[in-house]
Amino acid sequence: MKIESKHKDAIERYEAYALADRENRLDAQDDLRHLGGDMWDDAVRKLREREGRPVITINKLPQFVNQVAGEIRQAQPSIEPVPVDSETDPVLTEIMGSIIQNIESESNASTVYSWGAQCAIAGGIGHWQIVTEYADDSTFDQDIRIKRIRDPLSVVWDSAASELDRSDAWECFVTEVIPKEQFKRRFKGRETPGNFPVDSGLSANGLLNWSTGTDDVRVASHWWKEETKKKIGLLEGGKVIDITDVPPAMWVMMGVIKAREVPAYDIMHCLLSGDGYLEEPQKWAGKYIPVVPVIGNEMAIDGKIMRHGIIRFAKDPARLYNYSRSAQAELIGTQPKAPYIGTTAMFEGLEDVWAKANTANLPYLPYNPDPNAPTAKPQREAPPQGSAAMYQEVQIAENDLYGTTGIYPTSLGQKSNEASGRAIMARERQSDTGTFVYTDNFKNASMVRTGKILLDLIPRVYDTERHIRVLGQDGMEKMASINMIRRDPFYGDVIVNDLTAAKFDVRIKVGAAFASAREKMAEMLNNLITANPAMMQVVGDLYFENLDVPGATKLAARVKKTMPAALVGEGGMETPPNPQ
């Protein structure tokens, strides 16, 4: 198959995947527009503006998204490796955990996670990706980073994938729209692509155009799985090893008692535009597609998956609220403009003056006495009065916003009728339960998927002798050596801290980050010392070590010298453990 044919097939699959998810994508676009304040239908807006009628937009939707997203931010979830067996070296577990923490720290992962979660809460889906990049311009060592995908709808997934984390997807496209000048700089020697290939027979539409207008073009990062064969062998001790490249004659010498073929996959990647491939396909280091979706809420309806966020069902109440408020404003605005009632003779020859009666501050309004009504004069008509139903409609629309989002005023900081603390907490839990699906999908699908990708990728990227910067449990930076070869007189070359020598599972830890944990520890020790000043001689050094102030380390060292030797050793040095 020629490369042009492969490209055409990829474009056709991209089109098919996007069309299969078209309704969800269009609904998500509409959700995001409403979240940004574009709530009026264009035809209705233009008509009201042409007639001079108010078009008021009071956007209450962001507070609901921020409420749920804020709970996820405050939870500060992080990835923690957990050994799958009791044989894993605890030092390797600590190093692996520190590497993940350092990757998250260097990637500013908290903002990446928050953005993905916010997109899912708002429009039903968000994304981030894991990439590798060179650590420095003077080295071949690579680092792993977690990157934000700004446009949640720029990713197109295999439409057959059904898992919340899309782990069963065979294919994925991550697109971006860039100016043509930038395209020429990035891909020198390549012609600026047009729309679809002339012979493709595909119909372009608003979601799938490969060229937008005359200034921008679309580029896709294409990820897909290629199935390969893998052989595994069972050793007498029960250990399973990879023997794919080992000749069968060597199996007995290695202690293999049983062998079988298992399916395996290579992850491939390349860049393409609407006209062709921009690079040759390359094999990815890991065994997972490094794109992580964050799903808001999904449900199956008549065999189709409908995906939505918190905004989807709040749009109608928001529109009704704005329409009712606009009607109120229009009513109030017409009250000082009530028309004057009089006979035609009273205004004859004075039409220009009376035409300005409701728009200008005139000192007087002349009129002609009417002989047929000698005692009459122009009188202003009573202004229209608002009805109770109009004001009730505003309240009903606002209550519908709470009902459709599942977030009620008490969760947004408003005073409620509940008097007791238990009743207030029960109402807050009601809101938390109504929106817990977003937190649960974020934590148990997206974060766990990210952890699996990192745990698989780290030993493959950090595969040479390296000194890497890691974060300790106290949040302090330190250096660790991995994959270091040491010569042992009995065993020969031994790899110290071999990251491939252990297997881990993923656990998502929810809680304060290390900086805030130290603050919490300092506050707890301060309360302890305040209640019992004698405890300064017991925990004084720990108190100062956890203070985030200049000179805290020196203060802790001086206090330690005044503490009992039984606690910190002679001279303030902790007594080392007995040698084994």
Side-chain angles (χ1 to χ4, degrees):
M1 183 182 294
K2 296 182 179 180
I3 193 71
E4 291 80 6
S5 178
K6 288 184 178 179
H7 173 262
K8 179 180 177 182
D9 291 343
I11 292 291
E12 289 176 342
R13 292 195 303 274
Y14 172 86
E15 165 109 345
Y17 298 154
L19 288 178
D21 197 42
R22 181 178 175 82
E23 292 184 9
N24 285 322
R25 299 172 70 84
L26 290 175
D27 287 340
Q29 287 179 345
D30 191 57
D31 294 343
L32 296 177
R33 280 195 293 268
H34 275 72
L35 183 63
D38 185 7
M39 300 184 184
W40 286 85
D41 181 79
D42 287 340
V44 176
R45 176 189 292 275
K46 291 178 181 178
L47 178 61
R48 293 180 70 90
E49 289 176 345
R50 187 164 56 246
E51 296 175 350
R53 303 173 66 187
V55 185
I56 294 175
T57 300
I58 301 175
N59 193 358
K60 288 178 169 286
L61 297 179
Q63 64 177 337
F64 300 106
V65 175
N66 294 337
Q67 176 68 23
V68 183
E71 293 173 359
I72 294 177
R73 288 191 180 98
Q74 290 178 351
Q76 299 182 10
S78 58
I79 300 167
E80 186 176 72
V82 180
V84 298
D85 53 43
S86 59
E87 298 179 359
T88 301
D89 188 350
V91 175
L92 283 180
T93 303
E94 182 180 359
I95 290 177
M96 183 64 79
S98 297
I99 292 175
I100 292 176
Q101 292 168 19
N102 187 58
I103 291 172
E104 291 182 320
S105 175
E106 291 296 315
S107 305
N108 198 10
S110 60
T111 60
V112 175
Y113 298 154
S114 298
W115 177 257
Q118 185 163 334
C119 291
I121 297 164
I125 194 168
H127 293 93
W128 60 72
Q129 60 184 339
I130 290 90
V131 302
T132 58
E133 55 188 29
Y134 287 106
D136 193 271
D137 292 340
S138 60
T139 182
F140 288 94
D141 291 337
Q142 289 190 321
D143 287 329
I144 301 171
R145 294 291 179 260
I146 305 171
K147 297 287 187 180
R148 182 181 74 153
I149 295 180
R150 185 176 63 178
D151 183 0
L153 300 178
S154 66
V155 182
V156 176
W157 286 96
D158 169 10
S159 57
S162 59
E163 297 292 338
L164 279 175
D165 58 3
R166 300 301 187 259
S167 57
D168 57 339
W170 279 82
E171 203 165 14
C172 174
F173 296 85
V174 182
T175 69
E176 60 175 330
V177 177
I178 60 177
K180 287 187 176 180
E181 292 300 321
Q182 183 179 344
F183 180 90
K184 293 177 181 178
R185 289 195 300 269
R186 286 177 56 179
F187 308 103
K188 295 181 180 179
R190 300 284 307 191
E191 293 185 4
T192 304
N195 212 308
F196 286 101
V198 177
D199 60 345
S200 69
L202 300 175
S203 59
N205 56 61
L207 288 174
L208 305 174
N209 279 344
W210 289 88
S211 177
T212 57
T214 58
D215 299 326
D216 299 325
V217 295
R218 188 180 299 277
V219 175
S221 182
H222 183 201
W223 298 90
W224 73 94
K225 293 180 181 178
E226 285 190 359
E227 189 171 3
T228 61
K229 295 296 183 181
K230 177 181 177 181
K231 289 183 179 179
I232 59 173
L234 178 65
L235 304 182
E236 293 183 357
K239 186 177 181 180
V240 178
I241 60 174
D242 185 355
I243 56 173
T244 303
D245 300 324
V246 179
M250 299 290 293
W251 293 358
V252 177
M253 298 177 58
M254 297 174 61
V256 176
I257 59 175
K258 188 182 294 186
R260 71 182 183 95
E261 284 191 350
V262 296
Y265 308 96
D266 289 336
I267 303 300
M268 306 300 294
H269 170 258
C270 72
L271 290 175
L272 57 86
S273 66
D275 288 345
Y277 285 101
L278 301 173
E279 65 180 14
E280 291 295 324
Q282 299 177 352
K283 182 180 176 181
W284 173 247
K287 66 179 182 180
Y288 302 118
I289 294 176
V291 181
V292 180
V294 190
I295 304 299
N297 201 346
E298 284 187 341
M299 61 182 69
I301 302 176
D302 295 332
K304 292 185 178 180
I305 296 298
M306 193 270 280
R307 186 176 60 244
H308 66 87
I310 206 169
I311 299 298
R312 181 69 48 82
F313 306 114
K315 291 188 295 187
D316 282 343
R319 282 192 289 259
L320 184 58
Y321 181 84
N322 285 315
Y323 178 81
S324 301
R325 291 301 303 271
S326 297
Q328 280 186 344
E330 184 176 9
L331 177 65
I332 295 172
T334 57
Q335 287 184 350
K337 297 181 179 181
Y340 284 87
I341 304 299
T343 64
T344 305
M346 295 179 183
F347 307 111
E348 186 176 357
L350 303 171
E351 289 84 359
D352 291 342
V353 176
W354 283 92
K356 301 175 183 178
N358 287 332
T359 59
N361 295 323
L362 301 177
Y364 57 88
L365 289 171
Y367 72 97
N368 302 316
D370 188 349
N372 297 324
T375 61
K377 64 179 180 179
Q379 297 287 337
R380 186 184 289 273
E381 181 72 7
Q385 300 295 323
S387 65
M390 178 180 292
Y391 294 96
Q392 289 176 357
E393 186 59 37
V394 173
Q395 296 177 349
I396 293 173
E398 190 171 22
N399 289 332
D400 287 341
L401 281 172
Y402 302 137
T404 53
T405 59
I407 302 175
Y408 296 93
T410 51
S411 297
L412 300 173
Q414 297 184 24
K415 187 177 180 180
S416 63
N417 296 327
E418 290 84 356
S420 67
R422 178 174 296 182
I424 295 174
M425 292 178 63
R427 175 60 66 89
E428 291 178 350
R429 282 197 300 270
Q430 182 181 358
S431 297
D432 294 342
T433 302
T435 59
F436 185 72
V437 61
Y438 302 102
T439 304
D440 188 59
N441 287 349
F442 172 82
K443 174 186 171 184
N444 294 324
S446 303
M447 290 293 293
V448 170
R449 181 65 175 173
T450 304
K452 290 181 178 180
I453 294 174
L454 292 177
L455 290 174
D456 168 69
L457 196 59
I458 287 172
R460 303 171 191 266
V461 175
Y462 300 92
D463 58 348
T464 58
E465 294 187 10
R466 295 179 64 173
H467 298 283
I468 59 175
R469 186 173 67 90
V470 297
L471 293 176
Q473 290 297 320
D474 56 357
M476 303 300 292
E477 297 179 0
K478 58 183 180 180
M479 302 301 295
S481 300
I482 59 174
N483 304 320
M484 304 300 292
I485 299 178
R486 297 289 183 264
R487 180 165 295 277
D488 187 274
F490 298 101
Y491 300 101
D493 290 343
V494 177
I495 301 179
V496 180
N497 293 336
D498 180 8
L499 297 181
T500 64
K503 293 183 179 181
F504 300 95
D505 204 346
V506 179
R507 180 170 61 193
I508 304 303
K509 183 172 60 175
V510 178
F514 289 120
S516 59
R518 292 176 62 191
E519 294 173 359
K520 186 175 181 180
M521 172 64 77
E523 181 181 359
M524 183 188 70
L525 293 175
N526 180 65
N527 294 336
L528 181 64
I529 294 170
T530 302
N532 185 3
M535 292 299 295
M536 176 62 79
Q537 288 295 309
V538 179
V539 297
D541 57 334
L542 299 178
Y543 171 66
F544 286 107
E545 284 176 358
N546 284 280
L547 289 179
D548 190 15
V549 295
T553 304
K554 293 182 179 180
L555 284 172
R558 293 184 180 184
V559 171
K560 186 179 291 186
K561 292 180 180 180
T562 66
M563 295 175 63
L567 290 175
V568 297
E570 296 293 336
M573 302 296 293
E574 293 188 5
T575 305
N578 294 327
Q580 299 295 323

